């Protein structure tokens, strides 16, 4: 809801620097915060109608995803979309909340232009789930271990979107978002530090993405966070209209300092006696409404909707389909045999903010793990049995994803043709040093580009790296001109500054040092000339 | 038509019986055979709303205060100006006495009634198991008759004022209310 700003508290705004607070002893001021997070569920359809749920992508086409019910035509009735129930169970289970087997919908009345029915259908008396917790931990979330308890989760409708045309005195309303399913999650006031708030939001965002119940994006409004805050147990202030993480953090910091100043001035009992709601204008928190203007929502059970009645079997069934928690997956990836860094483990597990990612985390993780297993097997069969654990990560995360992004090719299209077995074959070319890294990059790019541009995908053939090496002339040169090779070897010898090394090879004192020369030759030729050819030619040049 | 009226007739019977013993099943009366019979049936007064509105002993006490009426008007987005507050007090008082009377109706098994299920919808719903839930999702269909099919109708077509495909809310509507 949007309200006119009441400027009566203007004398407490501090739009200037707040640094002078830092010198003050703040430890005697105890911050206590709770969060209210609204999460848009990415169900296919809306909560109480079967019109399309896609408010973000339809932003340019207002009011296209609107049924008679969504715009509140008289006589229309809500029909519950059970997809939202399924998603709500998933999220409740993931945070260890108790799914209430009987929950029901209520009407919350208020008037605003983006709320055509005059009330919002929510769950006031019997919420969907109660209890639960999200644990923050040092290793993964970067803050001291902390348990944030959840009060409840409720299913409710989103409102429409308002565009204010101040000059014309008009407000434009788009109801594509009206009746989109939301989950409101309320935490206990367990936060005592802004760092915990930041870590919690990130973790919760990752969780909803991992469960695939929401995009979790703050920027698109798919996730909205309100903060309840109090200092030294004075009355609670609710902070609203915080569009992104930095607004949330800055608003909390500002409001904390504002209240500390009031308490220091001895005005706490006067000015912080009653709860109030404040907004954020980018620089300061601004009073929106206080006790006197608190809205009476006149909650009543919605008589047109049946209660949601679930058997314990429904909850158990959903529990079985839940993916392992992101934290568990990350820990597994950081342990042997994968031994990944936290950064890479997170990349394989947690969806980023990007809207146009060429893969989903489950797809990427599956491809990585299967490729890794194939690589382990292939290495065991090869001459060089030393496993390079970083090889699959480097080539999948740092190389392949970059190529897919460049070519705008989805991973799932690629993996039809380039299977984990195939990719392991490619890794083995590098493992056996048959091709250099530079050649490998070229080869992989050409291979993927070739798939992207050709009909190979339709024909469902698999990639044959060996034939590609031939095709792009990246393979070993079997018929080499002796004169050229002799010049190459001579150049290598001439480049060596340690002349003693050469003398020792020639004298037979350090026979094996010739392998060093061969290694240099392999590097220069990017592995395209065989070691035997080099040995033969070095011996000829050095006359040994 | 006749059958429908039989339904109404039975409904009326239920209405009367409800006040006495809260019968769960409707009682269906004899079938009306002709238009004349129907006319005769409808012309007979068998009950009156007044009967339920007038017998409250404390109807004056049940009238909401002037302040309550003003608050209700505000919550409902209606203007206080130009409204006869006294008349609204009286009418709301009557409605309250009617509701109060409904509350006083003796119910069978009153202790075992779950108020949370007091809805227009069926009260007892079989709990869904996992397969039911998936089945419900799989069988949900977009309904053209409910305007759910994209492009099947222009939702702003009915609006008096619109801009392109936006609904338009005049700012004045928001600011001038009491």
């Amino acid at each position: 809801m949007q309200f006119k700003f009441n400027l009566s508290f203007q004398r407490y705004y501090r739009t200037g620097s707040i640094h002078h607070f830092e010198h003050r002893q703040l430890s005697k001021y105890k911050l206590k915060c709770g969060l209210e997070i609204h999460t848009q569920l990415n169900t296919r359809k809306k909560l109480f109608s079967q019109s399309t749920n896609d408010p973000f992508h339809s932003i340019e086409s207002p009011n296209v995803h609107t049924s008679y019910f969504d715009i509140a035509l008289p006589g229309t009735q809500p029909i519950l979309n059970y997809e939202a129930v399924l998603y709500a169970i998933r999220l409740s289970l993931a945070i260890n909340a108790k799914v209430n087997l009987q929950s029901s919908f209520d009407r919350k009345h208020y008037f605003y232009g983006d709320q055509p029915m005059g009330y919002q259908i929510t769950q006031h008396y019997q919420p969907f789930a109660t209890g639960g917790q999200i644990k923050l931990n040092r290793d993964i979330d970067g803050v001291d271990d902390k348990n944030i308890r959840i009060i409840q989760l409720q299913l409710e409708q989103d409102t429409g979107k308002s565009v204010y045309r101040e000059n014309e005195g008009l407000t434009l309303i788009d109801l594509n978002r009206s009746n989109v399913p939301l989950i409101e999650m309320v935490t206990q006031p367990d936060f005592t530090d802004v760092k915990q708030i930041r870590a919690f939001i990130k973790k919760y965002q990752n969780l909803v993405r991992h469960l695939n119940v929401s995009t979790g994006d703050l920027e698109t409004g798919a996730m909205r966070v309100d903060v309840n805050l109090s200092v030294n147990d004075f009355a609670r202030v609710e902070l609203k209209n915080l569009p992104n993480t930095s607004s949330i953090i800055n608003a909390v910091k500002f409001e904390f300092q504002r209240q500390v100043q009031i308490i220091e001035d001895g005005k706490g009992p006067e000015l912080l006696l009653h709860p109030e709601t404040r907004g954020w204008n980018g620089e300061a928190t601004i009073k929106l409404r206080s006790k006197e203007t608190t809205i009476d929502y006149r909650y009543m059970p919605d008589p047109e909707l049946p209660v949601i009645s679930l058997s314990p079997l429904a909850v158990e069934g959903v529990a079985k389909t839940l993916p392992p928690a992101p934290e568990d997956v990350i820990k597994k990836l950081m342990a042997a045999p994968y031994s990944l860094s936290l950064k890479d483990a997170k990349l394989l597990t947690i969806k980023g903010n990007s809207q146009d990612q060429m893969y989903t985390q489950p797809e990427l993780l599956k491809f990585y793990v299967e490729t890794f297993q194939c690589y382990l097997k292939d290495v065991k069969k090869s001459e060089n049995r030393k496993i390079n654990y970083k090889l699959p990560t480097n080539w999948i995360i740092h190389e392949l994803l970059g190529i897919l992004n460049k070519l705008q090719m989805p991973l799932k299209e690629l993996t039809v043709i380039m299977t984990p077995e195939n990719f392991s074959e490619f890794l083995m070319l590098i493992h056996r040093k048959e091709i250099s890294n530079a050649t490998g990059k070229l080869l992989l790019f050409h291979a993927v580009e070739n798939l992207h541009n050709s009909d190979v995908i339709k024909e469902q053939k698999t990639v044959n790296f060996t034939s590609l090496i031939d095709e792009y002339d990246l393979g070993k040169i079997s018929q080499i001109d002796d004169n050229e090779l002799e010049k190459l070897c001579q150049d290598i010898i001439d480049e060596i500054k340690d002349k003693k090394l050469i003398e020792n090879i020639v004298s037979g004192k350090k026979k094996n040092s010739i392998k060093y020369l061969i290694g240099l030759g392999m590097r220069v030729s990017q592995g395209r000339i065989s070691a035997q050819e080099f040995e033969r030619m070095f011996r000829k040049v050095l006359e040994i | 038509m006749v059958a429908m009226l039989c339904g109404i007739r039975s409904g009326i019977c239920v209405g009367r019986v409800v006040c006495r013993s809260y019968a769960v099943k409707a009682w269906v009366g004899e079938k009306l055979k002709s238009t004349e019979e129907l006319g005769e049936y409808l012309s007979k007064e068998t009950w009156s709303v007044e009967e339920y509105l007038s017998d409250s002993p404390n109807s004056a006490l049940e009238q909401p205060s002037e302040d309550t009426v003003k608050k209700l008007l505000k919550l409902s987005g209606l203007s206080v100006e130009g409204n006869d507050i006294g008349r609204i007090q009286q009418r709301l008082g009557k409605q309250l006495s009617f509701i109060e009377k409904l509350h006083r109706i003796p119910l069978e098994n009153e202790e075992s009634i779950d108020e949370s299920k007091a809805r227009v919808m069926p009260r007892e719903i079989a709990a869904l198991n996992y397969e039911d839930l998936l089945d419900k999702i799989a069988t949900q269909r977009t309904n053209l008759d409910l305007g759910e099919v994209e492009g099947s109708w222009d939702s702003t077509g009915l609006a008096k004022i619109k801009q392109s495909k936006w609904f338009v809310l005049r700012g004045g509507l928001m600011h001038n209310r009491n």
Side-chain angles (χ1 to χ4, degrees):
Chain A
M1 288 180 72
Q2 211 73 36
F3 288 89
K4 277 183 77 181
F5 293 152
N6 181 336
L7 299 179
S8 62
F9 267 50
Q10 200 158 27
R11 63 183 187 274
Y12 290 106
Y13 297 170
R14 289 176 190 277
T15 49
S17 163
I18 54 172
H19 293 300
H20 66 280
F21 286 104
E22 286 165 11
H23 304 296
R24 190 186 296 156
Q25 174 62 263
L26 285 176
S27 59
K28 61 177 175 174
Y29 299 103
K30 298 270 180 287
L31 174 72
K32 205 158 95 173
C33 284
L35 301 181
E36 261 183 49
I37 304 184
H38 287 89
T39 313
Q40 265 179 2
L41 299 180
N42 57 359
T43 51
R44 289 176 306 118
K45 306 294 180 179
K46 291 190 179 179
L47 183 56
F48 296 118
S49 72
Q50 289 290 308
S51 38
T52 305
N53 168 17
D54 194 10
F56 178 64
H57 291 103
S58 57
I59 213 152
E60 299 297 326
S61 323
N63 296 303
V64 292
H65 300 316
T66 46
S67 71
Y68 302 159
F69 177 77
D70 302 331
I71 71 157
L73 286 189
T76 53
Q77 288 187 319
I79 301 168
L80 178 62
N81 171 8
Y82 280 87
E83 258 184 302
V85 174
L86 177 67
Y87 282 32
I89 301 176
R90 284 169 75 88
L91 184 55
S92 304
L93 289 173
I95 59 165
N96 293 312
K98 177 177 156 278
V99 176
N100 296 319
L101 297 179
Q102 297 263 327
S103 67
S104 57
F105 290 103
D106 308 295
R107 294 178 179 180
K108 177 184 181 179
H109 299 83
Y110 67 88
F111 281 93
Y112 202 67
D114 58 15
Q115 178 79 285
M117 284 198 296
Y119 59 84
Q120 176 194 30
I121 304 178
T122 179
Q123 295 192 300
H124 183 68
Y125 296 111
Q126 291 182 298
F128 192 83
T130 37
Q133 60 199 347
I134 293 181
K135 287 180 180 166
L136 300 176
N137 78 58
R138 172 152 285 289
D139 293 342
I140 291 177
D141 308 304
V143 290
D144 288 344
D145 290 5
K146 177 90 185 177
N147 194 17
I148 305 296
R149 294 164 301 157
I150 307 300
I151 298 175
Q152 65 178 47
L153 279 89
Q154 62 204 49
L155 264 173
E156 60 186 32
Q157 307 169 289
D158 207 341
T159 58
K161 186 179 155 51
S162 315
V163 174
Y164 300 95
R165 292 275 163 86
E166 302 283 349
N167 297 342
E168 298 166 61
L170 298 175
T171 306
L172 303 182
I173 307 285
D174 172 16
L175 298 177
N176 282 342
R177 203 180 71 176
S178 158
N179 195 25
V180 160
L182 291 177
I183 282 188
E184 180 182 311
M185 185 184 75
V186 188
T187 76
Q188 295 280 4
D190 285 341
F191 299 91
T192 53
D193 191 315
V194 281
K195 285 184 195 140
Q196 293 163 353
I197 297 177
R198 192 198 295 271
F200 183 90
I201 292 170
K202 188 81 208 147
K203 186 153 203 163
Y204 178 72
Q205 217 170 15
N206 292 339
L207 182 67
V208 296
R209 289 168 177 167
H210 185 73
L211 295 169
N212 201 18
V213 296
S214 173
T215 61
D217 298 328
L218 287 160
E219 294 73 15
T220 61
M223 203 171 113
R224 281 159 265 161
V225 181
D226 297 337
V227 184
N228 285 312
L229 176 157
S230 68
V231 179
N232 288 7
D233 291 328
F234 277 104
R236 186 168 57 94
V237 165
E238 187 179 5
L239 301 175
K240 280 176 136 12
N241 305 341
L242 307 166
N244 49 43
T245 313
S246 66
S247 305
I248 296 163
I249 300 305
N250 291 333
V252 170
K253 281 183 181 168
F254 180 92
E255 184 58 20
F256 176 65
Q257 305 289 15
R258 188 187 75 90
Q259 294 196 21
V260 165
Q261 182 65 52
I262 291 175
I263 298 167
E264 291 232 313
D265 294 347
K267 291 185 178 168
E270 179 196 343
L271 297 173
L272 300 174
L273 185 62
H274 299 297
E276 64 178 35
T277 304
R278 301 179 73 87
W280 174 247
N281 70 0
E283 290 181 331
T285 64
I286 292 165
K287 184 174 164 184
L288 299 179
R289 54 179 185 262
S290 60
K291 184 174 166 266
E292 292 73 35
T293 47
T294 300
I295 300 169
D296 176 352
Y297 291 119
R298 293 164 296 148
Y299 285 103
M300 62 167 269
D302 193 308
E304 294 180 327
L305 282 160
V307 293
I308 302 174
S309 183
L310 299 168
S311 89
L313 291 173
V315 182
E316 281 168 30
V318 178
K320 282 181 196 156
T321 66
L322 281 190
E327 213 158 293
D328 296 341
V329 178
I330 290 171
K331 280 180 188 159
K332 198 175 158 192
L333 290 172
M334 289 173 74
Y338 308 105
S339 312
L340 291 181
S341 66
L342 175 64
K343 193 178 164 208
D344 285 349
K346 276 188 174 174
L347 208 146
L348 288 174
T349 317
I350 294 167
K351 190 186 177 296
N353 285 327
S354 166
Q355 291 290 330
D356 52 358
Q357 200 170 274
M358 287 293 118
Y359 54 90
T360 66
Q361 260 55 31
E363 283 165 11
L364 181 62
L365 181 62
K366 184 169 180 278
F367 185 70
Y368 166 76
V369 169
E370 288 177 7
T371 305
F372 191 92
Q373 298 300 341
C374 292
Y375 170 69
L376 286 190
K377 273 187 213 161
D378 290 346
V379 170
K380 276 182 193 162
K381 285 186 261 170
S382 77
E383 280 177 26
N384 175 7
R385 293 194 179 185
K386 193 168 176 255
I387 295 161
N388 180 354
Y389 292 100
K390 284 191 175 166
L391 207 57
T393 338
N394 286 343
W395 284 92
I396 293 174
I397 295 180
H398 305 299
E399 205 54 44
L400 183 63
L401 293 186
I403 294 171
L404 292 178
N405 198 33
K406 194 168 180 183
L407 297 172
Q408 288 291 295
M409 183 182 189
L411 178 67
K412 67 178 171 204
E413 259 179 44
L414 177 87
T415 49
V416 174
I417 304 300
M418 200 179 282
T419 60
E421 290 81 8
N422 272 157
F423 203 81
S424 176
E425 280 167 26
F426 166 75
L427 293 178
M428 287 308 291
L429 293 173
I430 296 156
H431 180 88
R432 290 191 298 260
K433 297 195 167 57
E434 286 176 25
I435 56 173
S436 66
N437 279 350
T439 310
K441 283 180 188 182
L442 273 174
L443 177 63
L444 189 61
F445 184 82
H446 284 299
V448 178
E449 191 184 35
N450 195 26
L451 292 177
H452 190 48
N453 297 334
S454 73
D455 288 335
V456 183
I457 286 183
K458 285 178 203 148
E459 292 161 18
Q460 305 245 325
K461 287 178 191 162
T462 52
V463 180
N464 185 339
F465 280 102
T466 319
S467 68
L468 279 173
I469 287 172
D470 291 343
E471 193 179 324
Y472 297 119
D473 200 18
L474 296 167
K476 304 219 172 200
I477 301 163
S478 48
Q479 291 203 327
I480 184 159
D481 183 304
D482 254 17
N483 292 334
E484 268 182 49
L485 183 59
E486 190 174 341
K487 187 174 180 304
L488 185 64
C489 290
Q490 189 61 58
D491 288 347
I492 290 168
I493 292 165
D494 293 345
E495 287 279 310
I496 290 174
K497 287 178 183 141
D498 182 5
K499 296 297 170 200
K500 197 137 197 181
L501 182 113
I502 304 294
E503 283 168 23
N504 288 339
I505 295 172
V506 175
S507 68
K509 205 172 175 183
K510 282 189 179 169
K511 276 191 210 165
N512 282 339
S513 292
I514 195 165
K515 286 193 175 149
Y516 173 70
L517 297 180
I518 297 167
L520 290 177
M522 298 288 284
R523 192 184 296 168
V524 170
S525 72
Q526 296 191 347
R528 296 183 60 212
I529 300 169
S530 76
Q532 289 83 355
E533 281 290 316
F534 272 115
E535 186 168 355
R536 180 180 65 79
M537 189 51 74
F538 277 121
R539 286 184 186 282
K540 187 182 165 195
V541 175
L542 296 171
E543 297 172 348
I544 49 175
Chain B
M1 176 68 178
V2 172
M4 225 170 83
L5 282 163
C6 284
I8 291 171
R9 183 180 177 184
S10 68
I12 292 166
C13 293
V14 172
R16 292 203 68 108
V17 178
V18 160
C19 297
R20 310 289 169 248
S21 64
Y22 189 65
V24 178
K25 283 184 183 166
W27 174 80
V28 180
E30 273 178 44
K31 191 174 177 183
L32 296 166
K33 295 186 185 70
S34 67
T35 317
E36 287 73 31
E37 269 190 39
L38 175 64
E40 193 190 338
Y41 173 77
L42 291 177
S43 67
K44 262 191 237 161
E45 191 180 283
T46 54
W47 70 295
S48 129
V49 179
E50 289 296 320
E51 201 181 310
Y52 297 93
L53 292 178
S54 57
D55 74 335
S56 175
N58 297 317
S59 55
L61 289 177
E62 283 162 7
Q63 278 199 5
S65 71
E66 203 178 314
D67 283 348
T68 307
V69 170
K70 284 180 179 170
K71 189 185 169 194
L72 285 171
L73 285 170
K74 190 181 168 190
L75 286 171
S76 311
L78 298 169
S79 170
V80 174
E81 266 170 54
N83 267 310
D84 182 347
I85 305 291
R87 187 154 169 267
I88 296 174
Q89 274 175 284
Q90 241 176 18
R91 291 174 68 172
L92 286 177
K94 279 200 163 185
Q95 288 173 27
L96 284 174
S97 95
F98 178 62
I99 291 164
E100 194 251 349
K101 172 138 191 175
L102 291 179
H103 279 299
R104 280 192 280 124
I105 294 169
L107 301 177
E108 287 171 5
N109 310 319
E110 192 161 357
E111 299 76 28
S112 63
I113 288 174
D114 180 355
E115 282 182 7
S116 70
K117 291 178 183 166
R119 282 153 200 261
V120 177
M121 306 302 296
R123 284 157 187 253
E124 297 300 336
I125 299 161
L128 295 176
N129 61 36
Y130 183 56
E131 288 71 28
D132 297 333
L133 181 61
L134 295 188
D135 187 54
K136 279 218 177 241
I137 295 167
T139 53
Q140 290 178 152
R141 293 283 176 271
T142 306
N143 189 340
L144 186 65
D145 293 338
L146 300 178
E148 293 171 340
V149 177
E150 192 185 328
S152 65
W153 73 301
D154 173 11
S155 58
T156 54
L158 296 164
K160 255 187 193 166
I161 316 170
K162 57 196 160 191
Q163 265 189 28
S164 305
K165 293 287 178 185
W166 298 83
F167 287 106
V168 174
L169 187 75
R170 281 162 293 175
L173 275 179
M174 294 307 301
H175 301 305
N176 293 342
R177 64 178 182 176
N178 286 303

